[in-house]
Amino acid sequence: MAAGKGTRMKSNLPKVLHKAAGRTMLGQVWHEVRAAGIDNCVIVVGHGAEQVQASLAGEPGCRFALQMPQLGTGHCVQQALPQILPQTQAVLILCGDTPLLRAQTINAMYQRYAASQQKDNQPLAGLLLTTILDNPHGYGRIVRNNDGSVTAIVEEKDASAEQRQIREINAGAYIFNYAALQSALARLDNNNAQGEYYLTDVISLLAADGQRLDTLPAADPLETTGVNDRVQLAAAAAELFRRKAEELMLAGVTIINPVSCCIEMDVQVGADTIIYPNCQLRGQTSIGSGCVIDSDCLITDSQIGNDCTITKSVLNQATIGDRANIGPFAYLRPGANLAEDVKVGDFAELKNARIGRGSKIPHLSYIGDAEVGENVNIGCGTITCNYDGVNKHLTKIGNNVFVGSNSNLVAPVEVQDDAFIAAGSTITKQVGAGALAVERSPQREIANWGREKSPKALAAIKSSPKQD
Ligand code: UD1
Ligand code: MG
């Protein structure tokens, strides 16, 4: 169910597209559905339908149903039903706003339901996931009769004062027998506080029919968290970050202070890598083994090899070879592509630049739209002047080149293998292999300049009026 607007988010973005730990809530639920081995799924979209559908574009095994307008969770499932075959053994229904639900729990629900179909005289018509919360506010409450069987779910807004005391809540995850679900859905009405067709009313209808229903208590109450506002979103994200850090640590990654780091769900990190405090690893980032990710790094959608050291740097869509040494204060932008043993030091910015093995850009440089060979030394303050105000141009630097400090390389330009650029040069023409290029005016020397000048200067200072 992913058609709701999510009014309580107060957002232009459909609720299920809000992200927690790098995945949309819907994407996270979908990930667990796939992990549970389910490959036949109908996703009901409505509010922001195109956007929600696009977020899962190309995912195998998912189809979409449209709910327009959105008249409640029961109405939502009614829209999906025509796409579900009547011979379907078990219909699993999940909310798109419960990102902490795990695949294991979905499997546990299915096993319980399937076992009942095989062995019970009266097999279950429905199974729902529940938990007991200290603060059940906002959730549907599980109403039971004297023998303990479930008779209804009452929504917060419809509950009596007495029912609000019930701490057992509906997690919004259900398995139903197809025929039972179909018959109850057809009988829903919207006579309730919200004027909606509630899926939860299926429970009281089936109970009144004499059908058997049961609950499965969630192993971890946090899993049932439904995200309706941004406070709950932050709490869910914190839990996903915690799980991710735990998973990595158990796989051999050292994280010095896990609560200070935000490592998103799709990030991969190899064993024996150490992550220092205040690092954020985002998107489709992968980090090899034996790396040191020192404090305050922000790394997004980047691929990093083994045994690299990265300190206080920002990387976005960069590719880094083994044993690279980055930072502190480096900024690697999209298309920065470093071979092995490269050094990029402080206040160096790289964009769309391939840097060959063993090359060094140790300080204060901008290297953009460039191909740099192996064993090149880029002196402090070197700039590739890649932009002429209209177009971007390429700077090519061969192998074993030495670029002196404070040089400008005005693109398009090529510096061939083994060439030297004298410090302070502005290079506008090709430099041949093995050549030294010097482009600066000869130094002049004017003798005794200081002594000649100083008496006048002194007199000027003396004659000027004193200022407070
Ligand atoms: C729902 C349950 C509540 C349960 C809680 C668990 C109902 C009536 N109530 O309440 O018992 O404790 O989830 O988190 O089901 N949606 C649609 N179409 C609609 C309305 C909702 O697709 O017309 C989707 C939403 O996008 C969302 C999910 O269904 O992903 C749940 O809807 P939401 O409005 O969040 O229901 P809750 O008030 O949380
Ligand atoms: Mg909800």
Side-chain angles (χ1 to χ4, degrees):
M1 296 185 287
K5 180 168 191 280
T7 311
R8 291 162 279 183
M9 295 299 278
K10 306 210 164 68
S11 175
N12 285 327
L13 190 67
K15 174 167 75 173
V16 295
L17 294 188
H18 280 261
K19 286 187 174 181
R23 286 191 190 141
T24 65
M25 289 199 272
L26 178 60
Q28 174 61 28
V29 174
W30 173 248
H31 184 272
E32 297 301 306
V33 164
R34 295 284 300 168
I38 296 165
D39 55 8
N40 181 4
C41 189
V42 181
I43 300 190
V44 185
V45 295
H47 182 78
E50 274 180 26
Q51 237 180 321
V52 175
Q53 196 163 332
S55 77
L56 291 178
E59 288 291 329
C62 81
R63 288 167 288 140
F64 296 90
L66 190 63
Q67 185 198 13
M68 274 306 186
Q70 296 86 46
L71 302 179
T73 47
H75 178 252
C76 171
V77 177
Q78 284 169 352
Q79 313 312 305
L81 213 59
Q83 294 204 44
I84 299 169
L85 295 173
Q87 61 267 36
T88 303
Q89 299 283 317
V91 183
L92 170 73
I93 303 174
L94 302 176
C95 297
D97 68 347
T98 54
L100 300 182
L101 189 70
R102 286 184 164 105
Q104 297 96 293
T105 303
I106 297 173
N107 280 328
M109 287 177 71
Y110 180 70
Q111 276 153 23
R112 173 75 167 274
Y113 179 85
S116 162
Q117 308 304 307
Q118 283 178 1
K119 66 176 179 27
D120 291 347
N121 290 336
Q122 189 191 4
L124 287 175
L127 176 73
L128 37 146
L129 187 69
T130 66
T131 197
I132 298 195
L133 296 180
D134 286 341
N135 177 11
H137 181 81
Y139 291 94
R141 309 297 209 285
I142 306 296
V143 181
R144 294 178 183 270
N145 64 14
N146 290 340
D147 71 10
S149 49
V150 182
T151 56
I153 299 173
V154 184
E155 292 305 296
E156 172 91 29
K157 287 184 178 152
D158 300 286
S160 63
E162 196 184 335
Q163 286 168 330
R164 288 203 186 117
Q165 300 302 310
I166 300 172
R167 293 194 299 125
E168 188 184 12
I169 62 104
N170 167 32
Y174 324 77
I175 295 181
F176 289 109
N177 165 277
Y178 180 93
L181 176 66
Q182 186 189 39
S183 101
L185 281 178
R187 289 178 277 153
L188 290 180
D189 65 38
N190 63 353
N191 297 327
N192 53 54
Q194 302 186 78
E196 290 184 357
Y197 296 88
Y198 291 162
L199 178 61
T200 44
D201 285 349
V202 163
I203 301 302
S204 51
L205 287 165
L206 294 181
D209 288 348
Q211 297 267 26
R212 233 188 105 216
L213 301 164
D214 204 356
T215 57
L216 183 80
D220 171 3
L222 270 181
E223 276 195 54
T224 65
T225 304
V227 173
N228 296 319
D229 60 35
R230 298 195 199 224
V231 177
Q232 290 164 327
L233 180 68
E239 170 61 9
L240 289 175
F241 283 131
R242 189 200 64 75
R243 283 188 200 169
K244 180 70 186 181
E246 184 178 273
E247 169 200 313
L248 290 173
M249 291 187 286
L250 292 174
V253 177
T254 294
I255 305 179
I256 302 291
N257 183 7
V259 291
S260 77
C261 291
C262 295
I263 304 176
E264 291 185 350
M265 300 304 279
D266 290 330
V267 171
Q268 295 172 17
V269 186
D272 283 329
T273 284
I274 304 177
I275 300 172
Y276 281 81
N278 301 324
C279 286
Q280 300 206 31
L281 308 180
R282 296 186 188 166
Q284 306 296 316
T285 289
S286 73
I287 296 177
S289 59
C291 294
V292 176
I293 309 300
D294 216 328
S295 56
D296 304 316
C297 286
L298 168 56
I299 304 179
T300 308
D301 295 330
S302 293
Q303 274 57 57
I304 292 157
N306 300 320
D307 302 310
C308 295
T309 299
I310 306 180
T311 308
K312 288 192 198 298
S313 290
V314 177
L315 281 67
N316 181 15
Q317 296 172 52
T319 307
I320 312 294
D322 294 346
R323 298 176 299 281
N325 187 352
I326 314 288
F329 312 116
Y331 182 23
L332 272 52
R333 294 168 49 201
N337 188 329
L338 280 48
E340 298 82 15
D341 301 298
V342 167
K343 155 122 185 124
V344 177
D346 49 280
F347 306 105
E349 174 179 341
L350 271 65
K351 184 222 57 168
N352 188 29
R354 301 180 75 85
I355 312 295
R357 179 195 299 257
S359 290
K360 295 184 172 65
I361 307 168
H363 358 249
L364 298 165
S365 289
Y366 171 68
I367 304 296
D369 301 307
E371 286 173 15
V372 176
E374 299 184 355
N375 298 317
V376 170
N377 189 82
I378 303 276
C380 176
T382 298
I383 288 169
T384 55
C385 310
N386 59 330
Y387 186 47
D388 61 12
V390 182
N391 294 308
K392 302 279 171 76
H393 300 283
L394 182 72
T395 299
K396 271 185 91 169
I397 299 177
N399 296 328
N400 310 313
V401 168
F402 181 93
V403 179
S405 296
N406 198 28
S407 296
N408 301 307
L409 304 168
V410 183
V413 71
E414 181 179 358
V415 181
Q416 295 183 335
D417 290 352
D418 306 308
F420 280 74
I421 308 288
S425 297
T426 294
I427 299 299
T428 55
K429 290 187 292 209
Q430 177 176 310
V431 179
L436 167 66
V438 189
E439 193 289 324
R440 58 194 182 206
S441 40
Q443 186 168 327
R444 287 197 298 156
E445 190 166 313
I446 301 165
N448 297 325
W449 174 256
R451 248 177 274 164
E452 228 172 67
K453 186 131 190 191
S454 58
K456 277 189 201 163
L458 277 173
I461 291 165
K462 277 183 186 161
S463 67
S464 67
K466 266 198 176 173
Q467 288 185 351
D468 292 330

